[in-house]
Amino acid sequence: MEIRPETILEHSYIGVLGVDNQGIIQYINHRAEQLLECSNSMGCPLEKIDSYMAGKLVSCIEQDKENQTFHIQKSKVAIEVLVSPLTCDNGSKGAGCFMRTIEDLEASALKLPNIKEMRMQFQTLLDHSYYGIYILDHQGIVLKVNDVAAGLIGVKKEEMIGTQITDIVKNGIVDTTLTPAILKYKKPLTRPLYVIKSNKYIMASGMPIFDEQGKILFVVVIEHDMTMVKELRTRLEQVEQVADTIKSELSDRNLLELKNSKIIADAPAMNQVLTVLLKLAKMDASNILITGESGTGKGLLSKFVHHNGNRRNKPFISINCAALPDMLLEAELFGYEKGAFTGASDSGKAGLFELANQGTIFLDEIGDLPFPVQAKLLKVLDDGEIRRLGGTRTIKVNCIVIAATNRNLEKLVQQKKFRQDLYFRLNIFPVHIPPLRKRREDILKISNFYLKKYNKIYKQKKRFSENCLEQIQAHDFPGNVRELKNIIKNAVVIKEKDVLDKIISPGITRQKSRHSSSFEDRKSMVSQGLNEELLEFERKKLEKAMARFDSTRDLANHLGISQSTVVRKMKKHGLSLD
């Protein structure tokens, strides 16, 4: 039996179409008419049936392109079109088209050995992963979820597929979910989630996947149970305790404070600061000037330099240049001999520069250094030697000098309040710490660090709500890290609920109005002795002034008392500007 080519083409499941160089249909089989949703189209211009397809075909004929492929969308199906230019016996040009649906193409591709194997690998990874895995579309609808992820929240995976991920929050299964924030900000996100029904925490990390136009195709979320690492964390804490005990015997106490503080610096600007300071520390560089607003951690970074330098096992000496009157400050820095001044020790005393020899000395609030003392400090920096008050001999000292200030030294130089030569000598390696509002990448990590710290100290289990995290992230923190730390400490101690919400209130002041005291407050005050009442008033007065001023000298001027009295009273009440 002879089978004619026309018979084969007419019964083919692939749509076949032929046009001349004008785009006129010279041949079309039944399947092609089905796909293009037309009939009796032989001899018709393809332009009338599908203008986009006609334009592509004419372009392929004119450019004589081999085997060009493109897609078209009809009302019912999406179609893949393969075009091949043709040359007839008489030399005229044309094109042949072969069409099939994208659905058929995908079904056929899934039967290919390589594709089938890849699909099997993906499904195996999903089903046998140690982690919970979600795949969601650009609207937050669950496309795929494995048994581990469903098991973490106690829901069957069949019940989750095709649902909005936010439903698990609305149904009271978890307290929050990552996907809405990822879709909103188009950035990866990692955050602990609280499973309400099982009273446990899981750590979730989400990643948006984009198409070529930058639109989100889908979101992949990976989760793991935090209880799985509880034993390892306990062991790690035990090891750290042993390490801290050993280090406390070998290192200066100030270095332990640094170790416990853990500098958090994910922001590029802060990372750059640490990179520069680390390089200076490794090269044993001196005359480092750290500037920045109050509360940014200048003292902590000075210890960072010392700890990472070659002198880490030598002394680290720190002094606040605004904390003492001129004469006492000079005596503290350079020491004094017997009988140097009234009240001087009979045996004399070594100064802080002598004590810091071979180590590091940190001069905090250098902008408040009295003018007469500045000349002596310049002498030390130039010659590397000091002379005690009342002494005649010079003493060689070799130490790293780090100074810090929140004041504008250049302006002080212009106002003749700070020596220009000393400024140039101190400012050999300037480092500026950005305020917290300019390193917002660090805010949430710092918040979680202090939340964990104060939860442990006060034996609490407080956690941030989603609204609270957004509030913290949006706040400018004029008091920088110090303000953030105090806000979290207050919330952990004062707030009754375990879920912290709205912990930043602009109207809150540290001191209550005397007229708004409750009956219980007045009753408590009556029950106190006169001395306790005076001490409480004194402490609150100091706290209120500390909220406005950054140095003990300014505090003294505001309160109308001497600087040494301010320092003594702050020490008595356990208060500090750092």
Side-chain angles (χ1 to χ4, degrees), residues 388-455:
R388 292 183 179 181
L389 291 180
T392 56
R393 67 186 182 91
T394 59
I395 302 172
K396 288 286 185 180
V397 291
N398 177 10
C399 59
I400 299 297
V401 177
I402 304 174
T405 182
N406 59 4
R407 305 184 68 181
N408 188 332
L409 292 187
E410 291 184 358
K411 188 174 181 179
L412 293 178
V413 169
Q414 294 172 2
Q415 296 172 349
K416 307 297 183 183
K417 294 180 180 179
F418 199 88
R419 291 180 63 110
Q420 186 180 52
D421 47 2
L422 178 59
Y423 169 69
F424 289 140
R425 201 73 175 84
L426 288 170
N427 198 39
I428 295 177
F429 301 107
V431 177
H432 180 74
I433 305 176
L436 192 56
R437 62 183 175 274
K438 293 187 178 179
R439 42 183 286 225
R440 293 192 178 276
E441 298 93 329
D442 296 338
I443 290 178
L444 293 185
K445 282 197 173 183
I446 295 173
S447 301
N448 287 323
F449 170 76
Y450 282 116
L451 179 67
K452 179 181 177 182
K453 176 180 178 179
Y454 292 128
N455 269 338

Side-chain angles (χ1 to χ4, degrees), residues 171 298 316 318 341 365 380 409 430 436 463:
N171 296 333
K298 297 183 286 295
F316 177 86
S318 175
F341 53 87
E365 296 192 32
V380 177
L409 292 187
L436 192 56
R463 55 190 174 85

Side-chain angles (χ1 to χ4, degrees), residues 9-20:
L9 293 175
E10 278 302 316
H11 292 83
S12 172
Y13 193 67
I14 295 176
V16 180
L17 172 73
V19 298
D20 61 16

